[in-house]
Amino acid sequence: MPAERPTGTVRRGGLRPGMVWQIAARDLRTTLRDRRTLSATILMPLILIPLFTLGLPLLMGNLIGGQQQARQQLGVVGTLPEDLKRALTTDEKLPDGTVTRAGVTLVPVTDPLKAVQDGTVEAALQAAAPLPARAGDGTGTLKLYAKLSNLRARSGAFGKVQDVVDGYNRQLATARLGTLGLGADTLEPVRIQPVDASSAQEQRSGQLAFLIPMLMMQFILAGALATALDATAGEKERGTLESLLVAPVRRAEVVTGKLIATATTALTSAAFSVAGFLLSSVIMRAYQTANPGHVATFTQAMGGQLSLTPTALLTVLGIALTTALLISSLLILVGIYARSFKEAQTYVAPINLLVVLPAVTLQFADFLNASAALYATPLIGGMLSILDTVKGTGEPTHAVLAVAGNLAGTALFSLLALRSFGREEVIFRN
């Protein structure tokens, strides 16, 4: 009879695909029995991603655009010139009659500061002395009271007053130039004509394009979390890991099988997150077609549309796959070290920050001097490469570096996990 192999010994030899898939299928079946995990993996990306990438820009577009089209109360102390009053209260309209910016309603007040603070008016104007009726007759000062830390006030009455006063000053200056035989062009001998040099893909991606890699990484982590911790710390807690390790299976096959199972759920979540972004894009196009106007334009500028070529889609999925492997291997390493499922969840909290913090800083990616080393950094390089691909500025070299960095990190974490699976003091920590 052959001698029994010690429990803590690592079985040597190559990987047997059949054994690896049996272990992976075993862990996947455990995951599939948990309906909450399935909901987090499949349904949540399809619900939350359109909510963030479409709902948030739509909300901001309606709030800020709605402030422009709404008529606010503007307090007035002192006397304003009639032309300025008329400019403040007149609506700006398109040729078809659509109001693009509503005027304000002038309300006499005695204490402009108190009137703004107690909400009687949204903003207030105070003319301490009569204002000049034409350019060249001295200067006057208008005090404009508003809650400057309030976005609603700045996008409403405060912004309207600033625009109207700027236009009024130009009107007075133009009238005075006319008496001297000069035209309005005298005020602007050199004009700047902005030309957007962004590609069509960059314009469609919008200012909130950084949400795409951020949410994708979050759902990859969420998809991998339940399977990884249950297949390691969970099995240690239930006492089923020992029976697996004394079976005729090599430790490398155990680690590889659990890695495949965890990466499968993570990649499933990533695939459905991409589907969620594509769904948002379809809804965005339909919304813009049905609502051509200021709010729809603002919503597009903020949220944009995800429109990927087949090559770009394969690039995103390739980076998502390697990111799923990277995060899965790290979670397996952490899970096997933990004494219990609850302790493993405590260790995962810093990993969540490791994903969130770089993803949030992607909104400032335009200020980064991204080098090849940054793209080769595991996880971070993948986020940058996905953002570049979404904007249509991705380079194949950067994508290859991101994939290589993720695979290198996966190899390192997998070797450390394999080492932990071969140590009795780690396996039997409970």
Side-chain angles (χ1 to χ4, degrees):
M1 177 181 295
E4 183 178 354
R5 188 185 301 272
T7 303
T9 304
V10 180
R11 295 173 173 84
R12 305 295 181 184
L15 297 177
R16 295 168 292 180
M19 190 65 70
V20 170
W21 285 113
Q22 286 186 35
I23 296 172
R26 171 179 174 270
D27 291 334
L28 284 173
R29 281 196 298 270
T30 303
T31 301
L32 291 174
R33 294 191 186 103
D34 189 351
R35 293 185 178 181
R36 290 174 298 179
T37 302
L38 288 178
S39 299
T41 304
I42 297 175
L43 294 180
M44 296 306 287
L46 292 177
I47 296 174
L48 292 182
I49 286 180
L51 181 63
F52 277 102
T53 59
L54 180 62
L56 181 59
L58 183 60
L59 177 63
M60 294 178 66
N62 279 285
L63 289 178
I64 296 179
Q67 280 294 98
Q68 289 292 306
Q69 296 173 341
R71 179 174 286 271
Q72 292 87 17
Q73 302 278 339
L74 177 67
V76 177
V77 179
T79 303
L80 299 179
E82 290 300 323
D83 289 343
L84 181 57
K85 285 184 181 180
R86 190 179 307 109
L88 287 169
T89 56
T90 301
D91 297 340
E92 292 185 6
K93 300 180 180 180
L94 296 175
D96 61 0
T98 302
V99 176
T100 57
R101 188 181 70 182
V104 296
T105 300
L106 302 181
V107 178
V109 296
T110 55
D111 187 342
L113 182 62
K114 184 176 183 300
V116 172
Q117 290 178 342
D118 62 19
T120 303
V121 294
E122 187 171 291
L125 275 177
Q126 182 179 24
L131 299 177
R134 66 173 189 166
D137 289 350
T139 59
T141 301
L142 273 176
K143 288 186 177 180
L144 178 55
Y145 296 81
K147 295 181 179 180
L148 299 183
S149 60
N150 189 307
L151 180 60
R152 176 179 176 179
R154 292 186 66 89
S155 61
F158 181 84
K160 290 179 180 179
V161 171
Q162 283 189 316
D163 292 341
V164 168
V165 171
D166 287 343
Y168 178 71
N169 285 333
R170 184 179 178 82
Q171 177 184 343
L172 293 184
T174 302
R176 184 59 184 270
L177 288 173
T179 63
L180 302 175
L182 301 175
D185 293 341
T186 308
L187 297 174
E188 291 181 317
V190 178
R191 293 183 180 181
I192 295 178
Q193 181 179 359
V195 178
D196 192 354
S198 305
S199 64
Q201 179 64 30
E202 287 180 289
Q203 295 176 24
R204 286 195 298 265
S205 63
Q207 298 179 20
L208 299 182
F210 73 95
L211 287 176
I212 294 177
M214 184 180 77
L215 293 177
M216 188 177 295
M217 297 303 165
Q218 279 293 297
F219 283 114
I220 287 176
L221 177 62
L225 197 59
T227 302
L229 298 190
D230 185 73
T232 52
E235 285 210 50
K236 288 176 68 174
E237 200 169 41
R238 294 191 300 269
T240 57
L241 186 60
E242 291 89 340
S243 61
L244 175 63
L245 295 178
V246 298
V249 57
R250 302 183 179 111
R251 300 296 170 86
E253 293 170 346
V254 174
V255 175
T256 304
K258 292 182 179 298
L259 178 61
I260 290 176
T262 305
T264 298
T265 56
L267 189 59
T268 300
S269 183
F272 276 95
S273 66
V274 173
F277 286 118
L278 294 175
L279 177 62
S280 299
S281 179
V282 172
I283 297 175
M284 174 68 76
R285 292 192 190 97
Y287 173 76
Q288 291 172 338
T289 302
N291 300 275
H294 176 72
V295 175
T297 302
F298 181 85
T299 303
Q300 179 188 14
M302 294 300 295
Q305 303 173 20
L306 180 63
S307 178
L308 298 178
T309 63
T311 302
L313 181 60
L314 289 176
T315 300
V316 170
L317 291 177
I319 296 173
L321 171 60
T322 56
T323 303
L325 290 171
L326 175 69
I327 293 178
S328 299
S329 60
L330 177 58
L331 291 177
I332 289 174
L333 175 61
V334 170
I336 197 60
Y337 178 79
R339 293 182 177 89
S340 63
F341 193 90
K342 185 176 181 180
E343 183 177 320
Q345 288 179 314
T346 303
Y347 293 152
V348 164
I351 298 177
N352 192 33
L353 289 177
L354 185 66
V355 174
V356 171
L357 292 180
V360 171
T361 58
L362 287 180
Q363 58 187 307
F364 309 110
D366 293 336
F367 296 95
L368 292 177
N369 184 16
S371 61
L374 189 60
Y375 280 98
T377 304
L379 188 65
I380 296 176
M383 293 183 188
L384 279 173
S385 188
I386 290 177
L387 181 61
D388 291 345
T389 303
V390 167
K391 289 185 173 182
T393 59
E395 296 183 11
T397 304
H398 292 162
V400 171
L401 286 173
V403 168
N406 285 343
L407 290 178
T410 301
L412 175 61
F413 293 142
S414 298
L415 289 174
L416 293 175
L418 179 60
R419 184 171 180 270
S420 296
F421 269 87
R423 299 173 60 193
E424 290 186 2
E425 62 269 25
V426 174
I427 293 295
F428 297 105
R429 291 177 79 243
N430 52 42

